Amino acid sequence: MAVKVVIPTPLRQFAGKQDSIEISAGTVAEALSGLTNQYSELRRHLFTDEGKLRSFVNVYLNDEDIRYLENDQTPLKDNDVISIVPSIAGGRPAPSFCR
Amino acid sequence: MATTTTATATGPGQLSKEEILRYSRHLIMPEVGMDGQQKLKQAKVLTIGAGGLGSPLALYLAAAGVGRLGMVDFDVVDFTNLQRQIIHGTDDVGRLKLDSAKDTIRDINPNVEVVGYGERLTSANALEIFKDYDVIADGTDNFPTRYLVNDACVLLGKPNAYGSIFRFEGQISVFDASRGPCYRCLYPEPPPPGLVPSCAEGGVLGVLPGIVGCFQALETIKLILGNGSPLIGRLLLFDALQMKFRELKLRKNPECPICGTNPTIKELIDYEEFCGIRGEEAVSQIAVPELTATEVKKMMDEKKPFVLIDVREPHEYQICKIPGSKLIPLGEVARRMHELNSADEIVVHCRSGQRSAEAVEFLMKAGFGKIHNLKGGVLAWSDEVDPTMPKY
Ligand SMILES: [Zn+2]
């Protein structure tokens, strides 16, 4: 299935500065692994070392959170839109990260 | 702890002749009308932060006639705020944001009672401050305060008109655990500090908090009026560059640690610790060999041979640069390491010394032995060597 993955602003630097990426995949898991194979730096921002989706990153299929579908096994249809939505904070980095 | 500015009052909810004239464009629309305007006058809204989001929030809530406006902020206005924090002006630089915001609000609408809390919001004071308000509008820019505000709102059963921004992207929602999900249902945990985008990735388009803060003001007013469809259970994403809005469904997570069926958080916790800030503070102080700006200048004057590497981003290099420096952005250091010779004396710098410390640490591990960090970066260069160098 040809689907679009929408990349949020903070992660665009790890995805060739693109705001969305077209990918061919049958499930959400396939789409995300296709994406991180293409852009390996994205992996540690999306997944823990154990391969679990990080708790400050949500993945949506169209307008629904995949946690309330079939998680990463959710099947895809042509023209589906997957959105990666991390938590964001402020115009400046977290306190004490940058002085 | 609270300071109060009171203006004319004519009994609870009653509008004076002046107020009827002032709010006439509200009064003649049926969705607000006299009933709605009186609700606004009796409403108490607390804004967290008098910065980028807090500015438009407070300005519009005050103009709309919200009766009491609480503001939590302990910060002082500085020059870098003025690009987006429009409740403050150039003459306010150096003043407390609370004082500056109070003056602006008094000018816009003297009928509004402004209550300032000039202290850091903590687990010790949050419930006490929040309890007298009907709506909380969170305009904070850091994770510990955001989780604190969320948890305090859930524990007290108050709605939170929420907005957050990053560069040119905004997220807006209304979290009201009595009717829908809370922030923890959306994000159970904050990102570890190390994965927060670096200094080079920060920044925000000044208009963006204006737009997002206005959405928060709008949602706050709708909550007070009890009119329309609030953004409860919905997350609005706004990409200002593409001018695109997207709406996502938010669901209440039955396993949410604070608003789920078996909550494990029953009181406020230590949010700095929860967000890993304390441990990170130590980690961020990477111990690498350092030189001061003055020492580097002396090396230049004495014509000592060394290579000066600037690890900032190209757009920062355009703002100011130290003469003779070579630009290799931090993200490219690993890939372009071969451009450097480990036999050379190397000095690395950035804006403040943080990113360059990371680069020095990385290069030392890669076998570069004659390498130093320029302590304090271009900020120190401006202070110690060249006062004409702009700071940012
Ligand atoms: Zn919740």
Side-chain angles (χ1 to χ4, degrees):
Chain A
M1 305 298 148
V3 300
K4 185 165 94 172
V5 185
V6 179
I7 312 291
T9 315
L11 296 183
R12 284 178 197 167
Q13 56 173 323
F14 309 112
K17 306 210 162 138
Q18 300 173 84
D19 54 14
S20 72
I21 289 162
E22 304 279 342
I23 215 156
S24 182
T27 61
V28 171
E30 281 175 33
L32 293 180
S33 69
L35 185 71
T36 51
N37 286 340
Q38 222 175 316
Y39 301 99
S40 55
E41 264 193 287
L42 266 181
R43 189 171 289 120
R44 81 183 179 95
H45 289 271
L46 297 182
F47 298 105
T48 62
D49 292 343
E50 294 78 44
K52 236 183 103 223
L53 199 62
R54 290 189 179 275
S55 53
F56 58 92
V57 177
N58 288 330
V59 175
Y60 285 80
L61 176 59
N62 302 317
D63 65 349
E64 185 65 85
D65 190 331
I66 60 162
R67 287 184 291 172
Y68 301 104
L69 297 169
E70 295 166 52
N71 268 312
D72 62 353
Q73 291 310 306
T74 307
L76 300 175
K77 299 186 307 297
D78 267 328
N79 304 318
D80 271 346
V81 177
I82 295 173
S83 306
I84 299 169
V85 186
S87 50
I88 52 173
R92 61 180 178 196
S96 80
F97 187 73
C98 170
R99 294 221 168 82
Chain B
M1 71 181 177
T3 49
T4 308
T5 318
T6 323
T8 51
T10 46
Q14 286 301 315
L15 300 187
S16 68
K17 196 177 168 200
E18 182 269 325
E19 288 173 293
I20 288 174
L21 191 59
R22 173 185 288 271
Y23 304 127
S24 60
R25 294 301 180 276
H26 272 167
L27 298 172
I28 58 176
M29 65 185 276
E31 291 77 6
V32 184
M34 184 57 86
D35 275 359
Q37 195 62 51
Q38 290 182 346
K39 282 182 188 166
L40 286 168
K41 184 169 180 174
Q42 290 175 80
K44 304 180 194 91
V45 179
L46 181 71
T47 70
I48 316 295
L53 296 168
S55 286
L57 244 170
L59 290 173
Y60 272 104
L61 292 177
V66 164
R68 184 196 290 174
L69 200 54
M71 304 184 92
V72 186
D73 202 303
F74 60 92
D75 222 351
V76 170
V77 181
D78 79 44
F79 270 103
T80 68
N81 299 148
L82 302 176
Q83 160 260 20
R84 64 196 180 284
Q85 303 185 10
I86 56 169
I87 204 166
H88 315 295
T90 307
D91 288 345
D92 296 316
V93 170
R95 297 181 73 198
L96 284 171
K97 286 188 181 177
L98 273 185
D99 292 341
S100 158
K102 270 187 201 169
D103 286 351
T104 311
I105 292 169
R106 196 180 296 119
D107 189 30
I108 286 178
N109 190 350
N111 301 296
V112 178
E113 178 195 355
V114 183
V115 184
Y117 304 90
E119 57 204 304
R120 188 186 289 274
L121 193 69
T122 67
S123 302
N125 62 18
L127 295 175
E128 185 59 28
I129 294 175
F130 284 24
K131 72 173 177 17
D132 293 328
Y133 291 89
D134 306 310
V135 182
I136 315 297
D138 179 12
T140 50
D141 57 2
N142 65 80
F143 288 106
T145 314
R146 183 175 303 166
Y147 280 91
L148 167 60
V149 170
N150 180 73
D151 292 0
C153 285
V154 175
L155 293 175
L156 293 170
K158 312 246 182 215
N160 173 9
Y162 160 83
S164 69
I165 49 170
F166 182 80
R167 285 193 143 187
F168 43 78
E169 192 168 303
Q171 297 183 354
I172 307 111
S173 190
V174 172
F175 295 112
D176 183 351
S178 61
R179 292 193 274 172
C182 78
Y183 185 73
R184 279 184 191 266
C185 294
L186 176 60
Y187 297 114
E189 284 169 20
L195 284 176
V196 169
S198 73
C199 326
E201 283 300 309
V204 66
L205 199 66
V207 189
L208 180 70
I211 294 168
V212 172
C214 283
F215 275 128
Q216 290 177 270
L218 182 60
E219 288 303 307
T220 302
I221 287 170
K222 279 162 59 189
L223 288 170
I224 295 166
L225 298 177
N227 221 333
S229 311
L231 260 181
I232 295 172
R234 296 184 286 155
L235 179 70
L236 188 63
L237 302 181
F238 173 49
D239 182 333
L241 274 195
Q242 307 300 332
M243 197 48 94
K244 274 199 176 140
F245 287 92
R246 286 186 300 142
E247 188 186 310
L248 304 174
K249 284 186 192 138
L250 294 188
R251 293 182 188 272
K252 197 174 180 76
N253 180 2
E255 283 162 34
C256 175
I258 189 149
C259 83
T261 34
N262 291 305
T264 51
I265 302 170
K266 292 174 179 146
E267 55 187 23
L268 298 178
I269 58 172
D270 182 337
Y271 293 88
E272 301 268 313
E273 191 188 329
F274 174 64
C275 295
I277 303 295
R278 270 178 207 155
E280 181 258 352
E281 198 120 21
V283 178
S284 74
Q285 296 302 322
I286 305 166
V288 293
E290 285 180 333
L291 288 170
T292 65
T294 313
E295 286 166 338
V296 173
K297 178 67 168 61
K298 191 156 167 269
M299 285 162 66
M300 285 177 174
D301 293 344
E302 290 169 358
K303 306 229 171 342
K304 288 211 173 125
F306 75 100
V307 180
L308 183 60
I309 302 297
D310 184 342
V311 295
R312 297 175 302 155
E313 298 297 309
H315 57 266
E316 296 178 86
Y317 198 66
Q318 285 176 357
I319 303 171
C320 60
K321 50 181 167 265
I322 299 179
S325 63
K326 175 185 168 91
L327 183 69
I328 304 183
L330 183 60
E332 297 178 16
V333 168
R335 190 157 49 80
R336 296 176 57 185
M337 199 163 62
H338 65 271
E339 295 174 29
L340 304 173
N341 186 342
S342 59
D344 287 341
E345 195 73 53
I346 299 173
V347 177
V348 187
H349 84 85
C350 65
R351 188 186 74 101
S352 68
Q354 197 80 40
R355 276 173 282 170
S356 49
E358 275 181 52
V360 168
E361 190 191 36
F362 173 81
L363 289 169
M364 282 171 71
K365 281 183 187 154
F368 287 79
K370 295 158 73 178
I371 191 158
H372 287 85
N373 186 25
L374 198 166
K375 192 180 176 188
V378 293
L379 297 178
W381 191 265
S382 175
D383 286 338
E384 296 173 30
V385 177
D386 179 6
T388 67
M389 174 172 277
K391 291 186 185 179
Y392 62 97

